[in-house]
């Protein structure tokens, strides 16, 4: 139980930021859709933290959520570095 709880606490926020950030960056009009995605962030965060308790063990929660977080931020870095995704000011 402690493994799942710590995975939810420490990996829930970065994974939620990643999901909402990708959704906001991939939208057609970033200036219009960013605020609604930020309002939905809390619901996504709660869903991700709840999802940590669906794993059979704390180790699996850490491995899956940690792997998704690292892979997602790596993909985001390479997409921004290659110029495929841009932040519109």
């Amino acid at each position: 139980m402690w493994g799942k709880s710590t995975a939810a606490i420490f990996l829930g926020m970065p994974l939620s930021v990643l999901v909402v950030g990708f959704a906001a960056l991939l939208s057609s009009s970033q200036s219009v859709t960013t605020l609604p995605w930020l309002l939905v962030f809390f619901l996504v965060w709660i869903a991700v933290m709840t999802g940590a308790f669906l794993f059979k063990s704390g180790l699996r929660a850490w491995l899956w959520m940690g792997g998704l977080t690292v892979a997602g931020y790596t993909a985001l870095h390479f997409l921004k570095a290659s110029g495929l995704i841009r932040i519109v000011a």
Side-chain angles (χ1 to χ4, degrees), residues 37-87:
W37 276 113
L38 289 176
L39 294 173
V40 173
F41 170 75
F42 184 72
L43 297 174
V44 173
W45 186 23
I46 296 298
V48 169
M49 287 195 311
T50 304
F53 292 97
L54 296 176
F55 292 101
K56 288 186 178 184
S57 68
L59 179 63
R60 286 186 183 192
W62 271 97
L63 290 176
W64 276 101
M65 291 177 69
L68 286 174
T69 302
V70 169
Y73 278 106
T74 303
L76 181 64
H77 172 72
F78 284 120
L79 286 172
K80 285 176 61 179
S82 67
L84 294 173
I85 290 180
R86 293 186 342 170
I87 298 174

